[in-house]
Amino acid sequence: MYTNASHEDLLHVQVQKRSQLDEQLDKAVTILAERAPLCGRQGILVARRSPRDFTLQLHPDVPYGTIQETQEW
């Protein structure tokens, strides 16, 4: 499940089952990719906070049209 986190350029994804992960991350990336041209043409940063908890955001340090991943746990 993805949830909006008070900003249009930040989403959280938390899943209970590994089988849900790819689908939910893909949905969140699609949402942000649609917003990117309206939010300063930024790329998407995916931060893994735990095996089942992710934050995705449009980020000025990520080139437009690209996705960068980090692991923060």
Side-chain angles (χ1 to χ4, degrees):
M1 140 188 358
Y2 56 86
T3 57
N4 213 351
S6 75
H7 299 294
E8 289 185 359
D9 61 348
L10 177 67
L11 298 173
H12 292 289
V13 172
Q14 289 183 304
V15 296
Q16 298 302 314
K17 299 178 184 177
R18 171 62 180 96
S19 61
Q20 302 168 325
L21 183 59
D22 291 336
E23 178 184 349
Q24 295 302 316
L25 287 175
D26 288 346
K27 285 181 182 181
V29 166
T30 298
I31 290 168
L32 290 177
E34 290 173 356
R35 293 177 183 170
L38 307 172
C39 296
R41 297 179 56 87
Q42 301 172 15
I44 299 171
L45 179 63
V46 179
R48 184 179 202 141
R49 304 200 178 278
S50 76
R52 295 191 168 120
D53 184 22
F54 295 78
T55 301
L56 295 86
Q57 66 180 344
L58 295 177
H59 198 282
D61 293 339
V62 180
Y64 177 71
T66 64
I67 300 171
Q68 289 184 2
E69 299 177 18
T70 64
Q71 185 164 311
E72 299 183 0
W73 61 286

